[in-house]
Amino acid sequence: MEKAMIELLKNGVDETLYMTLVSTLIAYVIGVPLGVILFVTDIKGICKNRIINFFTGAIINLIRSVPFLILLVALLPLTRIIVGTTIGADATIVPLVVAAAPFVARMVESSLKEVDSGVIEAAKAMGSSKLQIITKVIIPEAKPSLLIGATIAISTILGYSAMAGFVGGGGLGAIAINYGYYRYKTDVMLITVAFLVLIVQLFQEAGLKFVNRIDKRLR
Amino acid sequence: MIRFENVSKKYISGKNEVVAVDNVNLEIGKGEIFGIIGFSGAGKSTLVRHINLLEHPTEGNIYFDNVNLTNAGEKELRKYRQRIGMIFQQFNLLAQRNVVGNIAYPLEIAGIKKKDRLKRVDELLQLVGLEDKKKAYPSQLSGGQKQRVAIARALATNPDVLLCDEATSALDPITTRSILSLLKEINEKLGVTIVIITHEMKVVEQICDKVAVMSGGVIEETGTVKEVFLKPKSLTARRLILPDDNINIHLNENEMFSEKGGDVNGKGNDRTA
């Protein structure tokens, strides 16, 4: 393979990692509070509030039900306002975050639901405030499950980022589409796909190894 | 120390109203070991959760040291809860914290400095006999050891009262005995009032001073353990105390009693209507 192609692929991997990691990070900054809100305002939650729970849930469901490709196109004006352009890796981060944050919120919610309600009751009985229950009991107790959720979220966001190649996003997805699909270079397409598989595999393995190390329940 | 005044707790479950606690009047004195005994579903756990207001009564008042807790605000309630320790059947330890971390938790939320926390944790570990398990996580402990950690945690803030919700029901008989003697020791040494919920007569027999017999949300009788054991008045008490083969005889006797009035047997059913 010629040198230019290797350079191109190296760039693609870098861009893909950049888009995926930055998007995941921002998606978690938005998604964790949303997930916590969903959990605590639930009917069995510690700050039961049907109205907040309903509206948060409804907005999340609304965004989650829009197909990602439609979201990509629909968000172009917003992307232009925030990033100044609609092509390249930076521009892809905007729709990725919008699509991923509600997904992350649901993952976080389901992780928090795994926390034993008896432990929450014990914390309440000891005189904890609601904020203390969230920050000192629920989130630390759910940490292993939250991290497993994060590895799933990273893989999903990686998949989305590849899809963004269709509308001018950067990274491996764009290479697979521009060279492999439009120019019939099957070998390039296969190589990029192989890279994507490898990256997903790496994140998944590393994530699970890390979780097994920190989870105190497994000894 | 603790007084229940006409306390009732009703739930709406589907279309039915369920009365979990029915017009309970109860007084628990300072320094007592008070047992509340009854079969599953009698409302014992719901009743004991009224003492630290984990459950709010639908009617009636709960007094702690002559203060009406029923009207206390969230902040005030949290202060009171630090004076009322609680242990559970399933221990409810923080799985991601080690023994020291678990026992330090109530001190942490009470705003006590780290140095003082660790000193207090050492005292408590000595009290429950787990000095060698400081760094262990709950998953590495046996049931009895977990309950000892839970007891140390519940006592961390020097509470006046310790609530035990079926605290020995998940333990084998030998471990049960050792946990009960630890509770007795705590009661005698520290003067902590202890309220014990159980369905096992032998728990009451081993450590309680007084006992209340509960069925269908109602306290059927209260008295010293001796009184209730020697002359059980209610059917529930008899069924709990007497060996199985004697129950039938007493059931028949009870039917004869019920003709004179006071149908004890039907009580549970009336109340769910």
Side-chain angles (χ1 to χ4, degrees):
Chain A
M1 203 183 299
E2 67 251 64
K3 223 173 161 191
M5 202 35 126
I6 293 171
E7 193 59 30
L8 189 76
L9 283 170
K10 200 177 148 286
N11 248 332
V13 172
D14 284 352
E15 270 187 4
T16 293
L17 287 176
Y18 167 74
M19 285 189 298
T20 306
L21 294 178
V22 173
S23 304
T24 307
L25 193 77
I26 303 173
Y28 264 85
V29 170
I30 302 167
V32 169
L34 282 175
V36 170
I37 288 172
L38 282 174
F39 178 72
V40 298
T41 59
D42 184 77
I43 199 134
K44 288 183 225 136
I46 54 169
C47 318
K48 194 168 105 182
N49 188 322
R50 279 174 81 173
I51 298 167
I52 294 179
N53 189 270
F54 176 80
F55 280 106
T56 315
I59 291 166
I60 286 170
N61 290 345
L62 182 86
I63 301 175
R64 288 203 61 200
S65 44
V66 179
F68 182 62
L69 268 179
I70 310 270
L71 202 64
L72 263 176
V73 179
L75 286 175
L76 287 177
L78 179 73
T79 307
R80 187 169 287 121
I81 293 169
I82 296 174
V83 189
T85 173
T86 61
I87 54 171
D90 282 333
T92 311
I93 289 172
V94 175
L96 276 180
V97 168
V98 173
F103 170 70
V104 168
R106 286 292 184 203
M107 296 281 275
V108 168
E109 182 196 15
S110 99
S111 291
L112 300 185
K113 275 187 176 165
E114 286 172 29
V115 176
D116 185 358
S117 61
V119 175
I120 298 171
E121 189 184 33
K124 234 193 261 176
M126 287 185 270
S128 318
S129 69
K130 282 166 181 166
L131 191 68
Q132 286 168 331
I133 294 179
I134 295 168
T135 58
K136 285 178 179 284
V137 177
I138 297 174
I139 292 178
E141 286 293 296
K143 199 164 73 182
S145 173
L146 286 169
L147 285 168
I148 290 176
T151 63
I152 298 173
I154 286 185
S155 314
T156 308
I157 292 167
L158 189 87
Y160 280 172
S161 83
M163 227 190 280
F166 261 114
V167 292
L172 288 171
I175 297 171
I177 288 154
N178 293 336
Y179 291 83
Y181 185 72
Y182 290 131
R183 298 186 203 168
Y184 304 106
K185 287 194 176 173
T186 315
D187 53 340
V188 176
M189 189 166 72
L190 285 177
I191 290 168
T192 48
V193 172
F195 268 119
L196 287 169
V197 172
L198 209 71
I199 294 171
V200 169
Q201 192 70 26
L202 233 96
F203 276 127
Q204 200 70 43
E205 281 296 311
L208 288 183
K209 275 234 169 75
F210 183 65
V211 170
N212 282 338
R213 229 185 55 204
I214 64 143
D215 191 352
K216 310 300 184 198
R217 291 170 302 179
L218 304 170
R219 306 187 180 198
Chain B
M1 185 92 235
I2 299 158
R3 189 153 50 87
F4 280 71
E5 198 181 82
N6 304 324
V7 171
S8 291
K9 175 74 178 181
K10 294 166 184 161
Y11 294 102
I12 306 291
S13 150
K15 278 180 187 164
N16 298 324
E17 192 186 64
V18 181
V19 183
V21 173
D22 193 358
N23 197 24
V24 164
N25 288 287
L26 198 64
E27 185 143 12
I28 299 170
K30 200 168 170 56
E32 273 179 359
I33 301 187
F34 195 101
I36 299 173
I37 190 164
F39 293 105
S40 308
K44 323 183 278 295
S45 284
T46 313
L47 183 70
V48 82
R49 277 166 176 70
H50 280 82
I51 298 175
N52 54 7
L53 273 285
L54 286 177
E55 296 274 3
H56 282 263
T58 324
E59 285 160 35
N61 293 300
I62 294 137
Y63 297 87
F64 181 83
D65 255 358
N66 288 320
V67 179
N68 190 346
L69 284 191
T70 339
N71 305 323
E74 178 75 23
K75 228 177 178 174
E76 204 183 336
L77 209 52
R78 291 210 311 263
K79 279 265 171 277
Y80 274 105
R81 282 175 180 161
Q82 293 181 358
R83 294 176 56 191
I84 308 174
M86 189 168 188
I87 58 173
F88 305 84
Q89 180 173 5
Q90 294 307 328
F91 323 117
N92 294 346
L93 298 176
L94 296 156
Q96 304 295 340
R97 283 191 181 213
N98 64 15
V99 168
V100 172
N102 266 285
I103 302 175
Y105 177 81
L107 301 167
E108 220 173 293
I109 59 168
I112 287 161
K113 279 196 230 103
K114 189 167 183 191
K115 214 178 126 200
D116 300 332
R117 285 205 302 256
L118 293 176
K119 210 177 126 213
R120 177 79 183 127
V121 169
D122 280 340
E123 290 169 18
L124 290 156
L125 280 170
Q126 207 178 356
L127 177 74
V128 300
L130 283 177
E131 295 103 317
D132 56 331
K133 294 285 179 193
K134 278 178 122 172
K135 294 271 179 287
Y137 285 90
S139 60
Q140 298 164 310
L141 300 175
S142 70
Q145 289 170 333
K146 282 184 205 167
Q147 200 57 290
R148 282 171 188 270
V149 175
I151 291 170
R153 182 175 72 171
L155 293 175
T157 49
N158 284 312
D160 304 312
V161 179
L162 178 63
L163 309 177
C164 311
D165 183 15
E166 297 277 8
T168 58
S169 300
L171 305 174
D172 64 58
I174 294 167
T175 315
T176 296
R177 221 172 299 150
S178 80
I179 291 290
L180 290 178
S181 51
L182 174 63
L183 291 175
K184 182 97 189 165
E185 189 190 323
I186 286 161
N187 170 261
E188 284 165 359
K189 260 198 203 162
L190 309 174
V192 177
T193 308
I194 298 183
V195 182
I196 292 187
I197 298 289
T198 184
H199 62 269
E200 292 171 304
M201 216 59 214
K202 60 176 192 287
V203 171
V204 174
E205 204 179 332
Q206 196 185 327
I207 67 165
C208 291
D209 304 317
K210 278 190 174 177
V211 61
V213 180
M214 199 169 179
S215 172
V218 179
I219 300 276
E220 299 206 326
E221 64 177 294
T222 317
T224 64
V225 172
K226 207 171 156 191
E227 280 166 12
V228 176
F229 266 61
L230 291 179
K231 287 182 187 155
K233 284 175 250 150
S234 62
L235 176 67
T236 313
R238 286 177 195 199
R239 284 167 69 187
L240 284 161
I241 293 163
L242 296 168
D244 288 345
D245 46 340
N246 287 345
I247 286 177
N248 285 338
I249 304 165
H250 286 275
L251 277 175
N252 292 337
E253 261 179 35
N254 189 67
E255 275 166 22
M256 293 190 323
F257 288 152
S258 65
E259 278 174 7
K260 293 177 195 163
D263 179 11
V264 190
N265 207 9
K267 251 182 185 166
N269 300 335
D270 293 345
R271 274 157 228 283
T272 45

